Amino acid sequence: MGTRRRGEELERAILHAAAAELRESGYPGMTMDRVAARAGTNKNAIYRRWPHRAALGIAAYRHLSDAAMPNPDTGTLRGDALEMLRRANETWASPHGTILRGLLAAAADDPELLTLMRERSGADTMDRAWLGMLERAAARGEAPAAAVRARVATAPMMLLRAEYAMRGIPSVPDEVLVEIVDEVFLPLVRGHR
């Protein structure tokens, strides 16, 4: 008989199981029973950590996002920003993007899920990656230190998300990504001198 998992080990097993369920069935198909069975635990262990399915769904999506987070370092802010937007665009069209679209669709009918998504958006992994990119650019002397701000860092992704919403398709043309960087993001960064 194996040893009983506890703490972080059990939490990781649950998150891995929930992430696998999201990949295979999307948020609508993810159930606490299926996650518990896949993780080799019981639902009580899950509910002690995540009080409801929405909380577990968001945590599992974050777990997937953290594992897939790009961190380009091309040597220039423009190169890094374009690479980040291109990878985000690819992700949106991938199975990972399908999971996010499923969560967003479910949030329309689930106020609790929508609230959780809004609460978690400020600490988003993608936001931290963009802030890190700005910090590296400031350290190279390519961006003013005053531009290293969350609002500046999140602008490109907000514009990309708006493109998805306006176009209703899971991929944005590359020329739009270039426009976001060259016509909005870089002038915004430079404007903080």
Side-chain angles (χ1 to χ4, degrees):
M1 187 166 143
T3 60
R4 187 172 166 188
R5 293 171 300 167
R6 298 182 186 272
E8 287 184 28
E9 181 184 2
L10 178 58
E11 189 169 308
R12 276 193 310 273
I14 294 168
L15 282 174
H16 286 308
E21 286 295 322
L22 280 177
R23 280 192 301 272
E24 290 176 16
S25 307
Y27 179 71
M30 185 190 86
T31 67
M32 297 301 233
D33 286 326
R34 289 173 59 162
V35 171
R38 189 180 283 248
T41 190
N42 60 54
K43 288 193 303 186
N44 290 337
I46 298 173
Y47 283 115
R48 279 193 296 274
R49 289 158 178 82
W50 298 279
H52 41 74
R53 189 172 76 100
L56 180 59
I58 295 295
Y61 178 76
R62 294 276 180 234
H63 178 73
L64 286 170
S65 296
D66 288 347
M69 180 51 51
N71 189 18
D73 192 357
T74 65
T76 68
L77 180 58
R78 182 180 189 274
D80 290 351
L82 282 171
E83 185 64 21
M84 283 289 279
L85 283 180
R86 287 175 175 144
R87 289 189 190 180
N89 199 32
E90 289 170 9
T91 299
W92 190 257
S94 75
H96 188 78
T98 302
I99 293 168
L100 178 57
R101 290 192 304 278
L103 283 167
L104 291 171
D109 297 325
D110 185 345
E112 196 166 24
L113 180 59
L114 184 59
T115 299
L116 279 170
M117 290 179 83
R118 285 184 181 144
E119 287 172 357
R120 303 292 194 280
S121 67
D124 187 48
T125 304
M126 181 66 78
D127 295 352
R128 289 190 307 272
W130 280 89
L131 264 174
M133 179 192 314
L134 276 176
E135 288 167 352
R136 287 192 309 271
R140 287 190 303 261
E142 189 180 6
V148 182
R149 304 164 38 114
R151 184 66 64 199
V152 174
T154 59
M157 288 305 298
M158 293 304 232
L159 291 170
L160 184 60
R161 289 174 186 139
E163 287 289 327
Y164 296 140
M166 288 174 20
R167 293 176 188 272
I169 56 173
S171 186
V172 174
D174 194 67
E175 59 268 15
V176 174
L177 305 180
V178 172
E179 287 174 359
I180 289 171
V181 171
D182 290 345
E183 297 178 17
V184 180
F185 182 60
L186 293 177
L188 178 63
V189 169
R190 291 178 189 127
H192 281 82
R193 290 198 190 277

